[in-house]
Amino acid sequence: MGTLLWFVGVFTLLTVPTSGHLLEKNSATPLIDYAVRLVNGPDIAQGRLEMLVQGVWGTVCDDGFDDLDAQVACYSLGFNELQGTFQGNAYGPGSGPIYFSQFDCIGTEGVLDDCPHAPLGTTVNCTHDNDVSIACVGTGYPMRLVGGSTGFDGRVELQYRGVWGTICDDSFGVEEAEVVCYSLGFGRQGLPAINSYGQGTGPILLDDLLCLGTEENIGYCEHPPWGTHNCQHTEDAAVSCSDTVSSGPDVATRIAGGPSPNEGRLEMYFGGEWGTVCDNGFRDVEAQVACNNLGFDPGQGTFLGNQYGPGTGGIYLDNVVCTGTEEVLVNCEHSVIGSSNCTHSQDVSLSCVGATSYDVRLVGSVNPNEGRVEIFYRGQWGTVCDDSFTGRSAQVVCNTLGYGYTGRALGNQFGPGTGTIWLDDVLCEGSESNLGHCPHSPWGTHNCQHSEDVSITCSPVDVAVRLMGGTNANEGRIEAFFNGEWGTVCDTGFGQTEAAVGCTSLGFNQGQGNFLGNQFGPGTGRIFLDQVNCDGDELSLNECNHTAIGQNTCSHNNDVSISCVGTGYPTRLVGGIFPSDGRLEIFYRGVWGTVCDDLFTDVEAQVACAGLGYSRGIGRFTGNSAGTGQIWLDQLACGGFETNVGSCAHAFWGENDCTHTEDVAISCSTSTGTMYPVRLMGSDGLQAQNSGRLEYYILGSWGTVCDTGFSDLDAQVACYSLGFNQFEGTYIGQTHGPGTGTALLDNAGCTGNEVMIDDCAHSIWGAASCDHSTDVSISCVGPWPAMPVRLVNPNSNSSNPTQGRLEIQYYGTWGTVCDDAFTTSDVRVACASLGFGYIGSFIPNTFGAGVGQIWLDEVNCLGNELNIGLCGHNNWGEHNCLHSEDTAISCV
């Protein structure tokens, strides 16, 4: 029995037919990438051709088979394209089904099923004595190792059908690594390695590999269909084709568990996790290289055994042997990364000499406490990419520079640097002694450009503040929010100037505030600020001089109380259909900005609505509405009792990990009503503009409103739903006479704050007990037309084009009109709304689809209405349309 070569590919479960007719030459068949293999040959490149269908191997009949067919079969096996020879029946009969015959390839197809052939399972006069054998040229699927510093380690990639791709590390073990290394010429040796060689690109070709270890090529091991996987490129397999290596990625390294930054357990960061180093063979010379790797004085370091106890995570390095001249530990000889027979009781501890490692500096600003971050490593200054860089990382940099754990990221404010980008994906916890000790990608490994070089400021962070315990929103005990908890301010040295700054930071009038001693009693939690000394021009208390955060000699009996003047942080709603809805924005330090939706709930929405003057308990989070400019607030956490959303707990002002797609939108309305079509009619039977008989359109008919209980408040709501000024409208009895049809509404009872009449208290629609002598007339205030109409024509420079996509504005929002049932009468009214007169025609929409709201559907105009919005139609915003159905008209 010769070498068994088999290859698992994409196949479709088909039932093999038992009868049928031959397929005509060049007939099209569905392309199926059947699994193929060569069996019983003397080497991997020749043997009997077999194909896999429904999990059963079978053979191919030689009827019509020639060298062109052999070339395609060889190519599908990963051998050289356009090279292959039909060998007759040289490698004997097979067994099982005979699946195919009558192949007629031209030689350039990708797989055999792309060639014309008889239907699957249809063979004529074939026995296993006719089983096809072939010979191929080449070495099977090409392979390579990528990202390693030598030729024998790296990310595994192979080529299939002309495309390079990666292998997922699921089930990838020693046998699979040995097959990879063997096919690359290293012999039957090799080990899987933690992938610190970067992520690949393109397709992930193989997953769940299961090799025996004797295969000639990784593509011939058992695996799911080509391209079938549940992986990401973070799981790309990597190997080392040597039992020991003297290289590796220059990963993050730190000292942990010791009494100082210079002494402790040695840890390294691979694959998103900190792990340790085994002490097998570890000496002072290895400790010296590790200390140099950490940025300490070169040539000095002491191995301390396992003095600082066991760590957790992987044990990444073992059998480390250094000469002492290496700059980083992974350049010493060591076992394959991640391959160890140690336990954590053998984790290395060491001691280093010198200042705390990697120098950092801020560049590009006239102020020494802000600028572009640069770090000194291996004799060279380089920059830091802003990917994943947060305030915690900024605070570590600032502390290293002597400013304490304060500061925040500023994006790329101070421009691009030059030279090496040393760090990417920095993930500090905030307590590290140096930026280089935070988790990060290997030194010099990144996917960034210098336009992403991070900048920071070490100015004091702008924390959340609030007033508690007072009798109103303008006074109380001042509290600040640091590191996830509220705390107080001590009164040592606190006076009027400090109170004024405190009020400014709360959004009240700048320069106005009174120190009230300890009037509102002691707080709880930590006392964060003491000996505060302000000049008066600061915008927050943290910008004033004070002792270190949390350092004080006070008790809560010294907690500061203040009173302020003004209304706190201004807020507004932008872009909603109703004034009570929209994107939430807050005014801080002279700039309007948005609020990120992280952690945002109805509780925060209700506080925001209360700050806007709505009743307590009203408000809900409705999703997102993208704004522009500053994102002021993130990670909001309100208790529900606050008077303004700016006084809730939140991340530092301006610090966030959000984009404007996450900007918060809320509703401060209790509206659940239906936006029924509405109009005003004159006593002459024609539509009226600002004053007329009030009518609604329900179930295809116009009807009237009974005057029982009707007041100016009801008139105001009706006028607003007609597009007129909110809170303005007058009930004028039956001035415009009786209407016709059904008396639809009775006993209306509006408060005036509603946005539509259906939000008000009223009897059941259609159940009014009135006659038309009591039909309501109203008078409204505001410009006409109350519902503006426009034509959108990207090809016209006119402010009032004569043709285009029809749009109407309702409750301040533009929307389109669906073309369902749209007729010439509707066109004429639309053109009249635009001032062109009762003319026009319906035309195909060549002006593009609109966006946002589709306001009108099933429009039903008589032809004499004053405005398209006053015709009969479905309830506002109710439709079954897409924007591809937006109406276009011509008013020529």
Side-chain angles (χ1 to χ4, degrees):
M1 187 73 172
T3 302
L4 173 65
L5 169 63
W6 63 284
F7 160 95
V8 180
V10 178
F11 62 91
T12 300
L13 300 180
L14 299 173
T15 302
V16 180
T18 57
S19 63
H21 58 277
L22 292 178
L23 191 71
E24 294 182 4
K25 296 293 185 181
N26 300 317
S27 296
T29 60
L31 174 61
I32 302 171
D33 197 355
Y34 290 106
V36 289
R37 69 181 182 183
L38 297 181
V39 176
N40 212 34
D43 56 48
I44 67 169
Q46 50 190 326
R48 182 176 61 253
L49 178 64
E50 296 190 355
M51 305 180 74
L52 186 71
V53 178
Q54 288 188 327
V56 177
W57 288 103
T59 61
V60 177
C61 179
D62 63 4
D63 186 9
F65 205 92
D66 59 19
D67 286 350
L68 293 175
D69 308 310
Q71 289 173 20
V72 175
C74 288
Y75 182 57
S76 70
L77 280 157
F79 292 101
N80 294 358
E81 190 174 9
L82 303 179
Q83 291 183 286
T85 307
F86 173 44
Q87 299 286 300
N89 320 110
Y91 298 108
S95 59
I98 302 173
Y99 284 130
F100 289 102
S101 67
Q102 297 287 324
F103 278 107
D104 187 16
C105 304
I106 62 174
T108 59
E109 296 85 351
V111 295
L112 279 171
D113 198 49
D114 204 18
C115 304
H117 57 77
L120 173 64
T122 301
T123 57
V124 179
N125 299 322
C126 294
T127 69
H128 281 298
D129 292 333
N130 302 99
D131 287 345
V132 164
S133 294
I134 63 174
C136 302
V137 177
T139 57
Y141 310 102
M143 299 190 65
R144 65 188 182 189
L145 299 180
V146 179
S149 57
T150 69
F152 51 77
D153 65 330
R155 181 179 66 252
V156 182
E157 296 189 355
L158 79 164
Q159 190 182 73
Y160 178 62
R161 297 182 67 180
V163 177
W164 286 99
T166 61
I167 298 174
C168 182
D169 64 7
D170 292 349
S171 303
F172 197 94
V174 174
E175 292 81 3
E176 290 71 30
E178 289 178 347
V179 172
V180 169
C181 293
Y182 179 78
S183 66
L184 289 167
F186 295 109
R188 297 280 180 193
Q189 64 180 24
L191 291 168
I194 293 174
N195 183 8
S196 295
Y197 304 99
Q199 300 177 24
T201 58
I204 298 174
L205 292 173
L206 296 178
D207 188 18
D208 295 320
L209 277 162
L210 184 58
C211 299
L212 300 174
T214 58
E215 293 86 354
E216 307 283 337
N217 188 287
I218 198 73
Y220 308 148
C221 298
E222 182 179 347
H223 58 77
W226 288 87
T228 302
H229 63 87
N230 59 352
C231 306
Q232 299 176 340
H233 278 298
T234 54
E235 302 171 78
D236 289 342
V239 302
S240 171
C241 294
S242 173
D243 291 331
T244 61
V245 295
S246 58
S247 65
D250 193 358
V251 298
T253 310
R254 71 180 183 185
I255 292 177
S260 73
N262 295 57
E263 187 174 310
R265 182 176 56 255
L266 178 62
E267 296 189 351
M268 307 183 77
Y269 190 73
F270 284 94
E273 182 180 8
W274 287 104
T276 60
V277 177
C278 181
D279 64 1
N280 285 334
F282 210 91
R283 304 161 296 164
D284 284 349
V285 65
E286 286 76 32
Q288 290 166 16
V289 173
C291 290
N292 184 47
N293 193 169
L294 283 157
F296 293 101
D297 293 353
Q300 299 191 64
T302 306
F303 172 46
L304 299 179
N306 321 109
Q307 181 172 330
Y308 293 105
T312 58
I315 299 175
Y316 292 132
L317 293 187
D318 190 13
N319 299 309
V320 182
V321 179
C322 302
T323 65
T325 60
E326 299 87 352
E327 289 187 300
V328 294
L329 198 62
V330 289
N331 284 351
C332 301
E333 185 175 297
H334 54 79
S335 299
V336 173
I337 294 171
S339 177
S340 166
N341 60 357
C342 306
T343 67
H344 280 297
S345 62
Q346 298 169 267
D347 288 345
V348 163
S349 294
L350 49 70
S351 175
C352 300
V353 177
T356 54
S357 48
Y358 319 100
D359 289 336
V360 290
R361 68 184 182 186
L362 300 180
V363 178
S365 173
V366 296
N367 298 316
N369 66 345
E370 63 183 12
R372 182 178 61 254
V373 179
E374 296 191 354
I375 190 166
F376 192 74
Y377 184 64
R378 300 180 76 168
Q380 182 180 352
W381 286 101
T383 61
V384 179
C385 182
D386 63 3
D387 293 349
S388 304
F389 200 94
T390 67
R392 293 181 185 273
S393 301
Q395 289 162 29
V396 171
V397 174
C398 292
N399 184 61
T400 304
L401 291 166
Y403 295 106
Y405 286 102
T406 186
R408 58 191 174 93
L410 296 177
N412 321 109
Q413 183 170 323
F414 293 102
T418 57
T420 302
I421 299 175
W422 273 130
L423 295 183
D424 189 18
D425 296 319
V426 180
L427 296 169
C428 299
E429 296 177 359
S431 58
E432 294 86 352
S433 60
N434 189 284
L435 189 68
H437 298 163
C438 300
H440 57 76
S441 298
W443 288 89
T445 300
H446 60 86
N447 60 353
C448 306
Q449 299 177 344
H450 278 296
S451 59
E452 300 172 78
D453 289 344
V454 78
S455 297
I456 69 169
T457 177
C458 294
S459 296
V461 291
D462 208 352
V463 299
V465 287
R466 68 182 184 185
L467 295 179
M468 295 293 291
T471 57
N472 59 57
N474 292 54
E475 62 183 16
R477 181 179 58 254
I478 189 166
E479 298 187 351
F481 190 73
F482 282 97
N483 297 323
E485 66 175 313
W486 289 101
T488 60
V489 178
C490 181
D491 62 5
T492 305
F494 207 94
Q496 295 294 103
T497 301
E498 290 70 33
V501 173
C503 289
T504 299
S505 69
L506 282 157
F508 292 102
N509 296 356
Q510 190 168 4
Q512 294 183 288
N514 290 308
F515 172 45
L516 301 180
N518 321 110
Q519 181 173 330
F520 296 107
T524 57
R526 298 179 64 192
I527 301 173
F528 285 128
L529 297 182
D530 189 17
Q531 299 182 31
V532 181
N533 182 14
C534 303
D535 295 327
D537 55 0
E538 299 89 350
L539 296 177
S540 73
L541 284 175
N542 203 25
E543 294 179 4
C544 304
N545 292 322
H546 55 76
T547 57
I549 301 296
Q551 292 184 7
N552 63 83
T553 57
C554 308
S555 72
H556 280 298
N557 291 328
N558 302 101
D559 288 345
V560 164
S561 294
I562 63 174
S563 68
C564 303
V565 177
T567 57
Y569 313 101
T571 52
R572 67 183 182 186
L573 299 180
V574 178
I577 293 176
F578 308 123
S580 54
D581 302 335
R583 180 177 59 256
L584 177 61
E585 296 190 354
I586 189 165
F587 192 72
Y588 187 64
R589 295 197 171 204
V591 176
W592 284 102
T594 61
V595 178
C596 181
D597 64 4
D598 292 347
L599 304 183
F600 201 93
T601 68
D602 287 349
V603 174
E604 286 70 38
Q606 289 167 16
V607 172
C609 290
L612 287 161
Y614 294 92
S615 300
R616 282 278 174 188
I618 292 176
R620 67 185 189 279
F621 173 43
T622 58
N624 305 104
S625 172
T628 58
Q630 182 71 51
I631 300 175
W632 271 132
L633 296 182
D634 189 18
Q635 304 287 328
L636 269 172
C638 299
F641 56 83
E642 297 87 350
T643 58
N644 189 290
V645 73
S647 297
C648 299
H650 56 77
F652 304 139
W653 286 90
E655 182 171 300
N656 61 80
D657 58 353
C658 307
T659 65
H660 279 296
T661 58
E662 300 169 81
D663 287 345
V664 161
I666 67 172
S667 173
C668 298
S669 170
T670 58
S671 175
T672 58
T674 301
M675 290 189 283
Y676 295 113
V678 58
R679 70 181 183 185
L680 298 178
M681 294 295 291
S683 56
D684 56 3
L686 300 177
Q687 280 194 358
Q689 293 185 0
N690 295 60
S691 178
R693 183 175 61 252
L694 180 61
E695 296 189 355
Y696 285 89
Y697 186 80
I698 298 179
L699 298 176
S701 300
W702 289 100
T704 60
V705 177
C706 180
D707 67 359
T708 306
F710 204 91
S711 69
D712 287 347
L713 293 176
D714 307 305
Q716 291 171 18
V717 174
C719 288
Y720 186 47
S721 67
L722 278 159
F724 292 103
N725 296 354
Q726 191 174 17
F727 308 122
E728 293 190 82
T730 307
Y731 167 49
I732 55 174
Q734 290 77 43
T735 304
H736 293 281
T740 58
T742 304
L744 293 173
L745 190 66
D746 194 8
N747 295 308
C750 300
T751 65
N753 292 312
E754 297 86 353
V755 295
M756 64 192 74
I757 202 79
D758 196 40
D759 287 332
C760 304
H762 57 76
S763 301
I764 297 173
W765 285 95
S769 58
C770 311
D771 59 40
H772 285 297
S773 64
T774 60
D775 288 345
V776 163
S777 293
I778 63 173
S779 177
C780 303
V781 178
W784 177 264
M787 302 174 206
V789 180
R790 68 184 180 187
L791 296 180
V792 177
N793 185 341
N795 302 317
S796 173
N797 294 322
S798 172
S799 60
N800 189 24
T802 57
Q803 59 181 11
R805 183 179 65 248
L806 179 62
E807 295 190 355
I808 187 168
Q809 189 183 69
Y810 192 55
Y811 283 115
T813 297
W814 286 101
T816 61
V817 178
C818 181
D819 62 8
D820 291 351
F822 208 85
T823 68
T824 301
S825 294
D826 307 319
V827 173
R828 290 166 56 83
V829 173
C831 289
S833 305
L834 288 158
F836 295 114
Y838 289 95
I839 60 173
S841 59
F842 180 62
I843 60 175
N845 183 6
T846 61
F847 308 100
V851 294
Q853 185 71 52
I854 298 175
W855 271 131
L856 298 182
D857 188 20
E858 302 290 345
V859 178
N860 181 17
C861 298
L862 298 175
N864 61 354
E865 291 87 352
L866 297 174
N867 186 288
I868 191 76
L870 301 177
C871 297
H873 54 77
N874 283 358
N875 300 329
W876 286 90
E878 292 185 8
H879 60 86
N880 59 353
C881 306
L882 301 172
H883 278 296
S884 58
E885 301 170 77
D886 287 346
T887 293
I889 65 172
S890 172
C891 295
V892 177

